[in-house]
Amino acid sequence: MTDSTTNTASTGRKPVRVWVDGCFDMMHFGHANALRQARAMGDYLVVGVHSDAEIERNKGPCVMKEDERYAAVAACKWVDVVVKDAPYVTTLEILDKYDIDFVVHGDDITTAADGTDCYQLVKDAGRYKECKRTVGISTTELVGRMLLLTRDHHIRGSRAVRSPIQGVDETVVANFSQGSLPAGALTGIAHYLSTSKKIIQFSSGREPKTGDKVVYVDGAFDLFHTGHIEFFKRARELGDYLLVGIHDDQTVNAVKGGNFPVMNLQERVLGALQCRYVDEVIIGAPYSVTKDVLEDVYHVDVVVHGASDQPLDIDGKDPYDLPKKLGIYHEVEHPRLDLTTTTIIERIIANRHVYIERQARKAKKAIAEAEAELREKELKAALHI
């Protein structure tokens, strides 16, 4: 993104500067959709990201470290500036410091550790607007999915691998799944249903220009994270247009076994599309790079893979055999090779008791927030706001 000051200078209008803040833990397409909506309300989007310490004080431990969360938000194509270590309770002082016109938040109430509305100060000042929350996806939802993946089913043939989730106490997890609270549904599993409209909203709509060098990468890109972002960034540097092939759920499961992928195909597509380095995706790309992939969508000039082992296709062949023979295969390294979907799951499983407790606390907090939201709506209705 570029500062929209240049776009409004000719009209003499001051660019509208919008603020969004949050934890952005396990940055997903629900977060990105909020940022997309906020960016559409103004000309310049400033995003405040809370530190690990602030989040720990107010809602419990994060899965992703603060540097990972800062980088994930910065990679979203609708974000202009990231403010690190933003206060958990949004103040007028922070808005004035960054010359912000108003704050945007989802249509739900977020409370601090003391139960107060994090946005009450800016609401009272008339500098608050709402966007529509994306139903069916949240960090709590994703953590819940991983905590509930307890059996190695759907493992196929010689591709069977030991799931990092194997061995979790099923009675503990079952209690978590059912929920001992009245709001047990808040701790259960939901599934996001994508639409063509949402994909269009996330798509860049840009076609490669004549002479552009098209780069192709493929993978599952499950639980989209900074390892994927760094890979996309370096792949994009090898050309002018990045085409990303995303394998369907059955293919990912056949390769990784267990209960993978954690996110379904539509969710993974939106996760990739929100990244500023991605130009277009192939939904349900074949596991092996074929002539169709290289020629039918766009003419691919370079095929890129990360510097890691790649499982063979079900026929026992190297999935990159064709691009290697054509001399267009390239491997890249990046500084986040240590971060993978599996390592994220292992973080949660290694501290599963902490996260199960966190989920229960968040469910209680969600009940209080829902009640506060209902009271606020009733008050607005009574005042005819």
Side-chain angles (χ1 to χ4, degrees), residues 365-383:
K365 189 167 181 268
I367 295 171
E369 290 172 345
E371 291 173 347
E373 184 179 345
L374 179 60
R375 288 195 298 271
E376 185 177 270
K377 288 180 178 178
E378 289 174 345
L379 179 60
K380 286 182 178 180
L383 296 174

Side-chain angles (χ1 to χ4, degrees), residues 46-62:
V46 181
V47 181
V49 182
H50 310 315
S51 68
D52 290 347
E54 275 281 87
I55 297 169
E56 180 76 30
R57 277 194 297 271
N58 286 278
K59 65 188 298 185
C62 275

Side-chain angles (χ1 to χ4, degrees), residues 240-374:
D240 307 292
Y241 192 93
L242 183 61
L243 176 64
V244 179
I246 302 180
H247 306 317
D248 63 31
D249 298 342
Q250 292 75 21
T251 298
V252 176
N253 185 257
V255 171
K256 292 197 170 186
N259 298 83
F260 289 97
V262 176
M263 303 181 81
N264 66 40
L265 177 60
Q266 294 94 333
E267 294 171 330
R268 292 182 286 115
V269 165
L270 293 176
L273 281 174
Q274 61 87 23
C275 181
R276 65 175 69 248
Y277 305 113
V278 175
D279 294 292
E280 182 61 285
V281 301
I282 296 178
I283 302 173
Y287 189 69
S288 287
V289 180
T290 63
K291 183 179 179 182
D292 292 341
V293 169
L294 298 180
E295 297 180 0
D296 285 4
V297 180
Y298 303 116
H299 175 75
V300 173
D301 299 284
V302 183
V303 174
V304 179
H305 180 59
S308 61
D309 293 336
Q310 177 72 18
L312 300 177
D313 206 336
I314 55 175
D315 58 5
K317 293 183 179 179
D318 179 354
Y320 295 101
D321 182 59
L322 178 58
K324 285 177 180 178
K325 286 180 179 177
L326 295 173
I328 61 172
Y329 177 80
H330 191 89
E331 289 188 356
V332 296
E333 292 190 359
H334 59 78
R336 295 316 313 262
L337 284 171
D338 60 316
L339 184 62
T340 66
T341 300
T342 299
T343 59
I344 293 171
I345 295 174
E346 287 172 345
R347 287 182 187 180
I348 292 171
I349 300 308
N351 299 282
R352 59 187 178 272
H353 299 300
V354 173
Y355 287 110
I356 288 172
E357 290 172 4
R358 187 190 86 156
Q359 300 292 83
R361 287 199 310 272
K362 289 189 73 174
K364 289 181 180 178
K365 189 167 181 268
I367 295 171
E369 290 172 345
E371 291 173 347
E373 184 179 345
L374 179 60

Side-chain angles (χ1 to χ4, degrees), residues 202-251:
F202 272 51
S203 176
S204 70
R206 190 175 83 83
E207 295 284 323
K209 300 187 296 291
T210 302
D212 275 357
K213 190 175 184 180
V214 176
V215 180
Y216 178 74
V217 300
D218 64 351
F221 306 115
D222 197 11
L223 297 177
F224 193 74
H225 53 72
T226 51
H228 298 137
I229 292 167
E230 289 295 336
F231 172 58
F232 285 167
K233 180 180 179 181
R234 279 155 180 73
R236 185 67 163 71
E237 290 170 351
L238 296 176
D240 307 292
Y241 192 93
L242 183 61
L243 176 64
V244 179
I246 302 180
H247 306 317
D248 63 31
D249 298 342
Q250 292 75 21
T251 298

Side-chain angles (χ1 to χ4, degrees), residues 3-154:
D3 191 329
S4 294
T5 302
T6 56
N7 298 330
T8 58
S10 59
T11 64
R13 179 175 67 83
K14 175 186 176 294
V16 176
R17 295 172 64 88
V18 181
W19 173 276
V20 173
D21 57 23
C23 305
F24 301 101
D25 193 17
M26 296 179 65
M27 171 82 175
H28 50 71
F29 65 89
H31 294 133
N33 193 39
L35 298 176
R36 178 190 66 80
Q37 294 177 78
R39 184 61 170 75
M41 295 182 192
D43 304 301
Y44 197 79
L45 181 59
V46 181
V47 181
V49 182
H50 310 315
S51 68
D52 290 347
E54 275 281 87
I55 297 169
E56 180 76 30
R57 277 194 297 271
N58 286 278
K59 65 188 298 185
C62 275
V63 176
M64 310 304 290
K65 300 169 185 176
E66 62 186 48
D67 63 316
E68 296 167 344
R69 294 185 290 107
Y70 296 149
V73 174
C76 179
K77 62 185 176 183
W78 294 293
V79 174
D80 293 292
V81 170
V82 171
V83 175
K84 299 178 181 180
D85 193 16
Y88 201 82
V89 175
T90 310
T91 64
L92 297 177
E93 288 76 15
I94 195 74
L95 301 191
D96 292 340
K97 179 178 179 179
Y98 290 96
D99 193 24
I100 301 298
D101 292 281
F102 56 84
V103 175
V104 173
H105 183 65
D107 51 0
D108 56 338
I109 287 180
T110 299
T111 57
D114 61 2
T116 58
D117 185 341
C118 292
Y119 299 98
Q120 195 60 56
L121 294 172
V122 294
K123 286 178 179 179
D124 292 343
R127 296 170 70 177
Y128 177 86
K129 294 187 179 182
E130 289 185 347
C131 65
K132 187 173 179 57
R133 185 177 178 276
T134 305
V135 178
I137 186 67
S138 67
T139 301
T140 302
E141 159 70 19
L142 293 176
V143 171
R145 291 186 196 181
M146 286 179 275
L147 286 171
L148 294 174
L149 298 181
T150 59
R151 295 181 180 87
D152 284 347
H153 57 283
H154 303 310

